Amino acid sequence: WGIDGFVQERSRILQKFGDLMEQHEDELAYLESLDNGKPLFFSKYVDLKGSVKNLRVTAGIKPIQTLIYRYA
């Protein structure tokens, strides 16, 4: 995912994954609560929202390899 041609594809995939997580947030929060024993509120509004936010941030970051190849 680090070469220039894949940067846009990587971003698109991560954004789509974030969209899918938001569309199914109730189910994912429920499963997260079952898995780790946290309250449903915490799983939905802290864990899940944080995961989606991290995906969105990561989708916007250019991989370091791309910068190294370009400027080396």
Side-chain angles (χ1 to χ4, degrees), residues 1 8-18 55 59:
W1 287 19
Q8 290 80 17
E9 181 69 8
R10 172 186 165 270
S11 178
R12 187 189 65 75
I13 290 169
L14 291 174
Q15 290 288 356
K16 179 65 177 174
F17 189 47
L55 279 172

Side-chain angles (χ1 to χ4, degrees), residues 10-60:
R10 172 186 165 270
S11 178
R12 187 189 65 75
I13 290 169
L14 291 174
Q15 290 288 356
K16 179 65 177 174
F17 189 47
D19 292 343
L20 289 170
M21 287 180 71
E22 287 177 334
Q23 289 172 12
H24 299 280
E25 66 181 6
D26 291 332
E27 298 98 329
L28 291 170
Y30 178 73
L31 292 172
E32 181 71 8
S33 291
L34 286 177
D35 181 49
N36 61 32
K38 292 180 183 176
L40 186 59
F41 179 87
F42 191 87
S43 292
K44 183 173 182 177
Y45 293 102
V46 177
D47 292 346
L48 189 62
K49 298 286 185 186
S51 295
V52 171
K53 183 179 178 181
N54 285 336
L55 279 172
R56 303 269 188 233
V57 168
T58 303

Side-chain angles (χ1 to χ4, degrees), residues 2-4 7 61-72:
I3 309 293
D4 281 338
V7 173
I61 296 174
K62 276 196 162 193
I64 293 195
Q65 294 91 345
T66 302
L67 298 174
I68 292 171
Y69 294 140
R70 182 174 289 152
Y71 299 108

